[in-house]
Amino acid sequence: NLSARLQSVFSNLRNRGRLTEKDVDLALREVRMALLEADVNFKVARDFTTKVRERAVGEEVMKSLTPAQQVIKIVQLELTELMGGQAARIAFASRPPTVMMLVGLQGSGKTTSCAKLANLMRKQGHKPLLVAGDVYRPAAIKQLQVLGDQLGVEVFSMGDKTDPVDIAAAAVERGRSMNNSVVILDTAGRLHVDDQMMDELERIKSRVNPTEILLVVDAMTGQDAVNVASVFNDRLGIDGVILTKLDGDARGGAALSVRAVTGKPIKFVTTGEKLDALEQFHPERMASRILG
Amino acid sequence: FSKKKAIDEETLEELEAVLIQSDLGIAATSAIIDSLRECGSRGERLDADGAVALIEQELVSILGANTVPLVKAGQPPTVVMVVGVNGTGKTTSIGKIASMLVREGNKVMLAAGDTFRAAAAEQLEVWGNRIGCNVIRHKEGSDPAAVAFDAYQSARARGFDYLLIDTAGRLHTKSNLMEELKKIKRVISRECDGAPHEVLLVVDATTGQNAIAQARVFNEAVGVTGVVLTKLDGTARGGIVVAISQELNIPVKYVGVGEGAEDLRPFNPDRFVQGILR
Ligand SMILES: Nc1nc2c(ncn2[C@@H]2O[C@H](COP(=O)(O)OP(=O)(O)OP(=O)(O)O)[C@@H](O)[C@H]2O)c(=O)[nH]1
Ligand SMILES: Nc1nc2c(ncn2[C@@H]2O[C@H](COP(=O)(O)OP(=O)(O)OP(=O)(O)O)[C@@H](O)[C@H]2O)c(=O)[nH]1
Ligand SMILES: [Mg+2]
Ligand SMILES: [Mg+2]
């Protein structure tokens, strides 16, 4: 692990007595490699390592008696700061209903996360409405309906022959009239490079003006995370990220990449297939996980 | 890269960035870049074009110079089990493979072995209707091994050429779920010597280094005979299959390039490698 590798970089220090620029370079190389192994994007890892170098030099790691620990501490702090920052809460609309729209690549966990969010909202005293906005994937509507049934949450659907933009508008209208405080829109998985499908999201956004647009990202995503996040953010303006499948052993470097390239906070993480497997994001825990 | 200048440190760094960003991984990338650097230091005249060609050659040889087709059992039905972590495209890939087999004149049966996830069997049934394949399913919550068993008996009795078994997505870190997968395999192999004849691991091209852990654990549990690399129609290059091929000797058999029945191609190493480097 990184700690052990840094120890070995600095291992013969006692003999030489003082840290050189070259030692710091070697240490930073280990940090960058650890980040790349954790799937942090290439450019993000390079920029991050540069920041660490500035701080390491500034905090006089050069004079430290325990440079390996110092470097780890700096990396941990920088990572946590980068991923924490602003409060990662759901924003509620001043006039109900609060409309949340979940978007992202195919298979990332949107439908399941919609249900989990509905579960959380209900526990917090809200009256959520789930919306079946995926009219393309076989049995997608049925999937959301089964989850809604399990939770006792209503699922709004207009079948799979209606434009998702109209479904979203009708759902919000219904939510307003039935006093649902929260409306959660499930959308079809799509590629950020599928212009027509990205356009569909833009049209839903301009039609119903969601309070929260959440990008759902699989924690095992590799280098591509920056491409996906930046396009979704540039085209839609996302409000936050839900990082899924953290119950696996992926290091989750995509979290750092997405945060670095969009500046948007990770609001939730999901840690399993059960509908209560949704948690607040903890930046220090993510930092430790990425560092391995 | 400028075509005729000799391989220099800057070009090597550019190549390193390309390889890492294609999810080739730091180990494989360093090995390639280091060996190119040695060519340069041995005074071998190598320009950027030559370097790219060398890398392509190396990657193609790791991936296997020939595409490997789907296995065909000596006696029908050929049993294909499809496995992988959640959301990678297993169910959709079964639809595509079945569609291809039907177009080739085969009688194909599908087994809805995901008895856990909401509307999983319904999803496979839609595919079955789309392409004209029988789907064997039980109700939600039943034993997936029982579904596999029933499907095999039916496929065998009714002279089907292929039986494709869908399984629930599962993270390789969940040992109880990996045990369930082993049980499905055991039940099938008891019914038919040599079955399942093919175990396809479905890997999402957007996956990073975790794909190697997935491949190792699934291979250890049920013996993976081939990989289906999905979602290559995105911007991810799927470089993680290089490490999977190299370390575990498992060939990529198909790539998924979309969500429709026809969006499946036999794996072509040259084309795949060009996708990374050009
Ligand atoms: N282990 C685990 N599995 C998850 C998690 N979140 C979702 N899944 C599973 O991942 C798979 C895909 O989830 P979906 O909710 O269908 O994903 P989606 O983004 O809606 O997929 P598309 O609509 O096809 O784009 C399912 O098998 C889910 O049960 C998680 O946090 N942990
Ligand atoms: N763009 C693209 N999407 C794909 C491809 N293969 C599958 N998908 C999509 O990925 C999503 C997940 O596919 P599924 O077939 O449900 O995945 P799965 O592995 O069976 O999921 P679980 O059973 O929940 O683990 C769906 O939206 C598919 O349409 C592909 O090659 N390209
Ligand atoms: Mg969905
Ligand atoms: Mg499936």
Side-chain angles (χ1 to χ4, degrees):
Chain A
N1 67 11
L2 181 60
S3 179
R5 281 150 50 170
L6 287 178
Q7 296 284 356
S8 86
V9 163
F10 296 129
S11 60
N12 56 12
L13 256 189
R14 224 166 278 141
N15 309 336
R16 281 183 291 117
R18 47 152 300 152
L19 208 54
T20 64
E21 283 273 347
K22 182 160 174 295
D23 295 321
V24 174
D25 282 342
L26 284 177
L28 292 174
R29 186 168 168 276
E30 289 300 328
V31 170
R32 195 174 140 260
M33 294 211 357
L35 294 175
L36 291 176
E37 283 167 5
D39 291 322
V40 174
N41 177 267
F42 185 82
K43 299 198 174 81
V44 172
R46 190 183 46 203
D47 294 344
F48 181 82
T49 311
T50 305
K51 271 212 205 82
V52 169
R53 160 175 261 287
E54 290 167 10
R55 197 159 164 175
V57 166
E59 290 190 12
E60 314 202 310
V61 166
M62 318 279 286
K63 303 210 189 99
S64 166
L65 290 174
T66 56
Q69 275 135 300
Q70 271 280 71
V71 173
I72 292 264
K73 188 154 139 286
I74 291 170
V75 173
Q76 182 92 19
L77 283 172
E78 275 292 334
L79 263 182
T80 305
E81 258 173 47
L82 224 180
M83 289 198 295
Q86 39 189 128
R89 305 264 144 198
I90 288 282
F92 287 97
S94 45
R95 253 183 64 232
T98 293
V99 180
M100 302 180 197
M101 178 165 129
L102 270 64
V103 302
L105 294 182
Q106 291 88 346
S108 53
K110 297 174 293 302
T111 304
T112 315
S113 298
C114 280
K116 289 172 180 173
L117 271 178
N119 191 24
L120 177 72
M121 291 294 111
R122 204 183 37 143
K123 287 195 194 138
Q124 293 182 348
H126 287 278
K127 188 174 164 221
L129 178 68
L130 283 166
V131 185
D134 181 352
V135 304
Y136 311 98
R137 168 174 154 155
I141 297 173
K142 186 84 194 0
Q143 182 186 6
L144 193 65
Q145 285 170 334
V146 170
L147 296 177
D149 282 346
Q150 286 174 12
L151 293 175
V153 169
E154 185 188 343
V155 175
F156 180 89
S157 167
M158 290 175 76
D160 64 3
K161 304 282 183 294
T162 307
D163 184 344
V165 181
D166 295 329
I167 296 175
V172 173
E173 214 20 65
R174 174 177 176 83
R176 196 165 283 137
S177 66
M178 299 296 288
N179 290 324
N180 291 100
S181 51
V182 178
V183 173
I184 301 171
L185 304 178
D186 186 21
T187 65
R190 69 204 65 216
L191 297 176
H192 51 300
V193 291
D194 184 334
D195 198 50
Q196 269 194 335
M197 288 299 275
M198 292 305 290
D199 188 70
E200 175 184 277
L201 289 181
E202 288 170 335
R203 284 183 294 116
I204 296 176
K205 177 182 180 178
S206 63
R207 188 82 171 272
V208 301
N209 197 9
T211 328
E212 283 274 345
I213 298 180
L214 299 171
L215 177 67
V216 179
V217 176
D218 193 323
M220 59 178 124
T221 310
Q223 297 287 312
D224 200 44
V226 289
N227 302 326
V228 178
S230 59
V231 172
F232 270 88
N233 192 38
D234 290 346
R235 289 192 68 153
L236 281 182
I238 65 178
D239 297 293
V241 172
I242 299 179
L243 195 63
T244 62
K245 307 178 202 171
L246 264 141
D247 44 323
D249 60 0
R251 298 261 290 271
L256 178 62
S257 303
V258 169
R259 170 74 171 162
V261 88
T262 63
K264 300 296 163 71
I266 297 172
K267 300 208 173 190
F268 296 104
V269 299
T270 70
T271 56
E273 296 189 75
K274 299 224 178 79
L275 296 180
D276 55 3
L278 176 86
E279 301 172 13
Q280 282 290 316
F281 173 67
H282 294 286
E284 359 51 62
R285 279 192 222 162
M286 195 72 220
S288 306
R289 179 178 180 134
I290 289 177
L291 291 180
Chain B
F1 313 107
S2 109
K3 282 189 171 286
K4 280 300 167 216
K5 70 182 202 311
I7 192 89
D8 59 1
E9 199 52 37
E10 191 183 325
T11 310
L12 283 179
E13 287 185 2
E14 280 176 43
L15 287 171
E16 179 191 45
V18 166
L19 295 179
I20 298 253
Q21 288 177 111
S22 70
D23 288 308
L24 204 74
I26 187 103
T29 301
S30 304
I32 288 176
I33 299 297
D34 289 346
S35 78
L36 283 180
R37 199 169 274 131
E38 278 182 22
C39 287
S41 70
R42 282 204 295 273
E44 289 176 28
R45 165 120 198 104
L46 191 69
D47 57 18
D49 256 9
V52 169
L54 271 185
I55 299 175
E56 284 183 336
Q57 226 171 66
E58 171 70 2
L59 293 179
V60 168
S61 79
I62 294 172
L63 292 166
N66 304 302
T67 55
V68 191
L70 201 65
V71 120
K72 181 131 188 157
Q75 266 225 19
T78 298
V79 180
V80 181
M81 194 165 136
V82 178
V83 304
V85 304
N86 306 70
T88 54
K90 297 176 291 301
T91 306
T92 307
S93 298
I94 285 175
K96 295 173 185 176
I97 293 172
S99 166
M100 170 190 78
L101 292 172
V102 165
R103 265 178 277 132
E104 292 170 359
N106 295 290
K107 209 167 146 201
V108 183
M109 177 176 286
L110 309 180
D114 181 351
T115 56
F116 168 75
R117 205 208 69 210
E122 285 80 354
Q123 183 185 5
L124 193 67
E125 283 177 320
V126 173
W127 275 103
N129 288 327
R130 231 178 234 184
I131 58 193
C133 283
N134 287 69
V135 178
I136 297 283
R137 65 162 295 186
H138 291 188
K139 61 179 164 55
E140 193 175 310
S142 35
D143 181 0
V147 179
F149 178 90
D150 280 357
Y152 176 75
Q153 299 303 345
S154 177
R156 166 110 174 277
R158 297 162 61 187
F160 279 74
D161 301 298
Y162 285 88
L163 168 62
L164 310 184
I165 303 175
D166 193 12
T167 63
R170 69 203 66 220
L171 295 182
H172 52 292
T173 47
K174 314 226 160 149
S175 50
N176 57 326
L177 298 183
M178 296 310 291
E179 284 307 312
E180 175 187 86
L181 208 57
K182 287 184 197 170
K183 178 176 172 207
I184 299 173
K185 179 178 181 184
R186 258 198 320 273
V187 163
I188 300 168
S189 59
R190 271 207 310 263
E191 294 314 302
C192 167
D193 206 24
H197 307 98
E198 186 88 72
V199 175
L200 297 177
L201 175 71
V202 180
V203 176
D204 187 326
T206 65
T207 312
Q209 298 308 300
N210 196 248
I212 302 165
Q214 294 171 21
R216 277 185 204 133
V217 175
F218 276 90
N219 188 40
E220 169 78 15
V222 289
V224 174
T225 60
V227 164
V228 177
L229 183 66
T230 60
K231 308 179 199 173
L232 215 51
D233 45 323
T235 50
R237 298 274 67 95
I240 30 103
V241 294
V242 172
I244 294 176
S245 277
Q246 186 159 43
E247 183 179 317
L248 304 172
N249 243 315
I250 300 173
V252 181
K253 297 212 169 187
Y254 297 101
V255 301
V257 292
E259 303 188 67
E262 319 259 311
D263 294 327
L264 185 82
R265 290 199 202 116
F267 181 64
N268 178 327
D270 293 293
R271 183 173 188 173
F272 175 78
V273 169
Q274 281 176 20
I276 291 181
L277 286 164
R278 296 180 193 275

